[in-house]
């Protein structure tokens, strides 16, 4: 599934386990925040779904200034390489 999106340049060209780790970190972080840390806080579930979706979409959207590279370094930004 992810490879097809990467080939179409619809998501970042990261290794699949890193993409799944990113998604799960956001979802588990939200779950931990609301069901363990702040159990008394009232929630706007519609707004939370919007925020979570935006985090995942923006986080996985390809950046025009991103170089594709493999290995431990992952993706580098052109601005970072120029420094």
């Amino acid at each position: 599934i992810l490879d097809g999106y990467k080939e179409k340049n619809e998501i970042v060209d990261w290794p699949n386990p890193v993409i799944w780790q990113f998604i799960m970190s956001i979802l588990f972080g939200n779950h931990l925040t609301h069901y363990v840390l702040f159990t008394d806080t009232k929630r706007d579930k519609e707004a939370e779904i919007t925020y979570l979706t935006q985090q995942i979409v923006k986080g996985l959207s390809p950046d025009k200034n991103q170089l594709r590279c493999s290995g431990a370094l992952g993706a580098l930004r052109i601005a970072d390489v120029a420094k």
Side-chain angles (χ1 to χ4, degrees):
I1 294 173
L2 296 175
D3 291 330
Y5 289 119
K6 288 191 267 186
E7 288 172 9
K8 295 176 192 173
N9 200 33
E10 294 177 348
I11 63 172
V12 292
D13 187 25
W14 294 347
N16 289 346
V18 174
I19 293 173
W20 286 116
Q21 179 184 10
F22 176 79
I23 293 169
M24 297 310 293
S25 295
I26 289 172
L27 297 178
F28 183 71
N30 179 65
H31 182 78
L32 178 70
T33 300
H34 291 291
Y35 294 105
V36 177
L37 299 176
F38 302 107
T39 57
D40 297 334
T41 305
K42 289 188 178 183
R43 302 171 53 190
D44 180 352
K45 290 184 182 183
E46 294 295 322
E48 282 185 36
I49 291 169
T50 300
Y51 297 144
L52 292 172
T53 304
Q54 288 177 354
Q55 281 181 303
I56 292 170
V57 169
K58 287 183 180 188
L60 294 178
S61 293
D63 184 355
K64 294 177 186 175
N65 295 324
Q66 186 173 343
L67 296 173
R68 292 181 180 197
C69 77
S70 59
L73 294 178
L76 295 174
R77 296 164 117 358
I78 292 174
D80 295 336
V81 175
K83 290 182 181 179

